Amino acid sequence: MSKESKITLAIVDDHPMVLEGLKSLIQSQENYQIYSFTKGTAFLDFITGNEVDLVLLDIVLSDGSGLDFCKSIKKLSPKTIVIGVSNQAERSIIFQLLQNGASGYILKNADSQEIISCIKEALNGKVVLSKEVQEIMLTQPVYSYELPKITKREKQILQSIAEGNTSAQIAEKLFISLITVETHRRNLLQKFKARNMIELVRIATENRLM
């Protein structure tokens, strides 16, 4: 098969092992020209001057959210097929990526055959979801996810939590009582339906609330 007839595929992931694993897997197929990127911004630069048939896009990148990059990719190159490849298994994130123009979502624990199958089906115009993603979409309640509104003080506390400060340090820094900080922390967990502070910070970071 000539180079001209090859499918141009890009992988955007900032984890070297994942990047190399996907690259090696897809290279086992003979009809792909593969490009890899560790930053979403680098891929956006690339796509402005190059045609890309399909991109495997991580959701959490060191220079931004894959949710936002998906929007930008579809704006710059509407014909490029975007498939999210991530460890993020929350229905709201999957749904948002699809709303932003993606044609599929694969969890990183999907097996090799499933990944290749999803790529081929997406190239044939189908919306593709790995088996576990299909189960998540079917079993979790359907609702329109809207980000909660947060106050200026809650935003300050979120930022401080993300920086690794303890409640006592936050109280001292913002000149408020320890009880007030703890109350805000509990309220933030409830607002974002987060199970813990790590998940809270991740959701806030992905949606650029800090």
Side-chain angles (χ1 to χ4, degrees):
M1 186 175 286
S2 65
K3 184 178 179 181
E4 288 74 22
S5 63
K6 287 193 173 185
I7 294 161
T8 304
L9 184 145
I11 307 165
V12 185
D13 197 301
D14 56 7
H15 294 87
M17 285 183 69
V18 174
L19 200 62
E20 288 307 311
L22 285 171
K23 193 173 178 181
S24 176
L25 169 64
I26 298 161
Q27 277 176 338
S28 67
Q29 311 294 306
E30 294 180 0
N31 59 331
Y32 292 95
Q33 176 70 41
I34 304 167
Y35 297 90
S36 57
F37 303 85
T38 55
K39 292 186 180 293
T41 48
F43 178 66
L44 291 182
D45 289 340
F46 179 80
I47 206 172
T48 55
N50 299 275
E51 288 187 12
V52 176
D53 297 307
L54 185 145
V55 55
L56 299 176
L57 178 68
D58 194 8
I59 303 304
V60 182
L61 293 160
S62 60
D63 63 337
S65 166
L67 299 173
D68 295 326
F69 284 129
C70 180
K71 265 187 180 178
S72 300
I73 291 165
K74 296 301 288 185
K75 188 175 180 181
L76 287 168
S77 179
K79 290 183 180 179
T80 298
I81 297 165
V82 180
I83 299 178
V85 180
S86 179
N87 287 321
Q88 307 299 317
E90 289 82 358
R91 188 185 187 281
S92 59
I93 292 173
I94 299 165
F95 186 69
Q96 193 173 341
L97 187 75
L98 295 173
Q99 277 193 320
N100 288 357
S103 296
Y105 199 103
I106 303 170
L107 289 182
K108 287 182 179 178
N109 62 3
D111 63 42
S112 302
Q113 190 176 350
E114 189 175 15
I115 293 170
I116 292 297
S117 176
C118 283
I119 290 170
K120 288 179 178 177
E121 287 184 5
L123 287 166
N124 285 325
K126 295 180 181 178
V127 174
V128 296
L129 303 172
S130 61
K131 289 176 184 175
E132 195 173 333
V133 174
Q134 289 178 37
E135 289 171 7
I136 292 165
M137 297 296 276
L138 288 170
T139 58
Q140 292 187 12
V142 178
Y143 61 92
S144 178
Y145 182 79
E146 289 185 12
L147 288 172
K149 289 180 171 59
I150 59 173
T151 64
K152 184 179 177 182
R153 176 65 81 196
E154 286 174 335
K155 190 172 182 178
Q156 289 173 328
I157 288 173
L158 253 179
Q159 184 66 51
S160 294
I161 292 169
E163 290 168 358
N165 293 308
T166 64
S167 292
Q169 289 170 327
I170 295 170
E172 185 177 352
K173 180 181 176 183
L174 299 179
F175 304 103
I176 55 178
S177 72
L178 184 61
I179 293 172
T180 301
V181 175
E182 290 296 339
T183 301
H184 279 305
R185 287 172 75 113
R186 283 197 302 274
N187 289 342
L188 283 165
L189 284 172
Q190 288 174 356
K191 274 188 175 184
F192 287 90
K193 297 181 174 63
R195 290 165 291 187
N196 50 50
M197 288 298 155
I198 294 172
E199 187 176 6
L200 173 66
V201 170
R202 179 184 58 72
I203 294 169
T205 302
E206 286 180 355
N207 290 282
R208 298 187 176 182
L209 295 177
M210 296 183 292

